[in-house]
Amino acid sequence: MRKTKNTSLDTMVTEFILLGLAHPPNLRILLFLVFFTIYILTQLGNLLILLTVWADPKLHARPMYILLGVLSFLDMWLSSVIVPRLILNFTPANKAIPFGGCVAQLFAFHFLGSTQCFLYTLMAYDRYLAICQPLRYPMLMNGRLCTILVAGAWVGGSIHGSIQATLTFRLPYCGPNQVDYFICDIPAVLRLACADTTINELVTFVDIGVVAASCFMLILLSYANIVHAILQIRTADGRRRAFSTCGSHLTVVTVYYVPCVFIYLRAGSKSRLDGAVAVFYTVVTPLMNPLIYTLRNQEVKSALKRITTGRGRVSENK
């Protein structure tokens, strides 16, 4: 619990200083190049998936690939919210971020992150219907329903981000203004508040915990049914293809949820390890998504070949 301090408008913080990730000074240039390269590859990889889904008629008419395209779009924006500020940490540039900019970054981070959380759940539900209800799948998951579900994910994410940003910045901040983190995120910013943060920490724990736990349990339930259905497939090749289709999704979900649980469900944690863990799911995961879905998905690879050989639009006209 934090003791309340006397504050006045004259002492209110107007900007924050992002201290970034702790690193040896002699590795600054190397780290700059590494994260800059990751950012460029993330944007190019996810843009390639977006263009492939849009250009290939066999993909953009199927809910599974509509969801994959939305995931790539989210990854591009999430990476853009996080990585440019992280890269600044390895340059002589000013590390200050205006108060309003900090609010916007925290909102965007939780808006995009929670939307992605909901999207992973929709992707699991889509795979459940495709494998466990194959005959009814076209009726149960059509383009219209997919669009409604995706819109619901965006709305839910915006509500979650608004709640977290409002609760965090309704508190007074009168100094110090140094955020011991590489972005404006709830745990790091709350440590600078000049008021009791117990309620905020509780709401953050419950809100993020409920969202993450609910989505994760629904994903586990979907995949429990999927595994049961796959085991009923008589041919080994059929089981292999079904497991391959779901394996990429499970890989991404595991990489995304484990770090989130580590950071947000440990109330009041001040571990410096949080920064390294957060880099993994905010920087590395958006890069992994296009790699996982292209390397493990035969249909995406086939679509890429058709597009590069100029046959994508030809098949659409047939």
Side-chain angles (χ1 to χ4, degrees):
M1 183 180 295
R2 185 181 297 275
K3 293 182 179 179
T4 304
K5 301 177 184 178
N6 292 326
T7 62
S8 67
L9 292 177
D10 295 334
T11 61
M12 288 298 177
V13 168
T14 58
E15 66 178 18
F16 291 99
I17 307 296
L18 297 176
L19 299 182
L21 294 174
H23 62 278
N26 58 325
L27 294 181
R28 180 169 296 176
I29 296 177
L30 176 62
L31 290 172
F32 172 86
L33 292 175
V34 167
F35 283 106
F36 180 77
T37 303
I38 287 175
Y39 178 67
I40 297 300
L41 291 177
T42 298
Q43 298 301 308
L44 291 177
N46 283 290
L47 180 61
L48 180 61
I49 287 185
L50 269 176
L51 293 176
T52 302
V53 172
W54 173 79
D56 192 280
K58 293 183 178 180
L59 298 186
H60 67 229
R62 295 176 57 185
M64 173 182 176
Y65 295 103
I66 294 173
L67 296 174
L68 178 57
V70 175
L71 177 63
S72 293
F73 182 78
L74 281 170
D75 279 336
M76 291 176 70
W77 277 101
L78 183 62
S79 180
S80 296
V81 168
I82 303 299
V83 182
R85 271 285 166 184
L86 175 59
I87 292 174
L88 261 170
N89 181 234
F90 308 116
T91 69
N94 186 6
K95 311 302 190 299
I97 180 172
F99 189 91
C102 193
V103 176
Q105 188 182 54
L106 188 145
F107 166 76
F109 177 49
H110 283 271
F111 164 45
L112 295 170
S114 56
T115 302
Q116 195 169 59
C117 184
F118 297 138
L119 189 67
Y120 284 140
T121 308
L122 293 180
M123 294 174 77
Y125 178 64
D126 174 73
R127 290 301 83 209
Y128 160 75
L129 291 178
I131 294 174
C132 299
Q133 305 283 341
L135 298 179
R136 301 176 61 202
Y137 176 74
M139 180 180 64
L140 294 174
M141 181 61 82
N142 52 46
R144 182 174 178 275
L145 177 59
C146 183
T147 302
I148 293 173
L149 292 175
V150 169
W154 282 97
V155 171
S158 66
I159 293 172
H160 173 82
S162 299
I163 290 173
Q164 294 301 332
T166 301
L167 287 176
T168 301
F169 291 101
R170 71 178 178 81
L171 299 173
Y173 292 89
C174 53
N177 68 337
Q178 293 186 330
V179 180
D180 190 15
Y181 213 49
F182 61 94
I183 58 170
C184 288
D185 197 13
I186 298 169
V189 172
L190 284 182
R191 295 182 201 127
L192 305 179
C194 302
D196 183 13
T197 61
T198 303
I199 298 299
N200 289 73
E201 291 172 2
L202 179 61
V203 172
T204 298
F205 179 84
V206 173
D207 183 23
I208 295 179
V210 167
V211 170
S214 298
C215 291
F216 193 57
M217 290 305 296
L218 288 172
I219 291 171
L220 288 181
L221 181 62
S222 295
Y223 276 97
N225 284 282
I226 288 172
V227 169
H228 181 266
I230 290 175
L231 293 177
Q232 306 303 313
I233 298 175
R234 299 184 178 224
T235 63
D237 184 61
R239 288 196 296 270
R240 181 189 60 78
R241 283 185 296 167
F243 273 121
S244 177
T245 301
C246 300
S248 56
H249 184 205
L250 276 175
T251 301
V252 171
V253 167
T254 301
V255 168
Y256 182 81
Y257 275 98
V258 172
C260 286
V261 170
F262 179 83
I263 291 174
Y264 292 107
L265 300 191
R266 298 175 303 126
S269 170
K270 297 182 181 181
S271 173
R272 296 189 68 83
L273 187 61
D274 288 356
V277 174
V279 164
F280 195 73
Y281 82 93
T282 59
V283 178
V284 178
T285 300
L287 172 65
M288 290 176 61
N289 283 344
L291 294 175
I292 290 172
Y293 280 105
T294 53
L295 292 178
R296 300 194 56 164
N297 192 301
Q298 190 60 45
E299 289 181 301
V300 174
K301 288 191 287 186
S302 298
L304 283 171
K305 290 179 182 178
R306 289 194 296 271
I307 291 171
T308 54
T309 56
R311 289 183 293 162
R313 289 294 178 187
V314 173
S315 62
E316 185 177 22
N317 295 328
K318 287 184 180 180

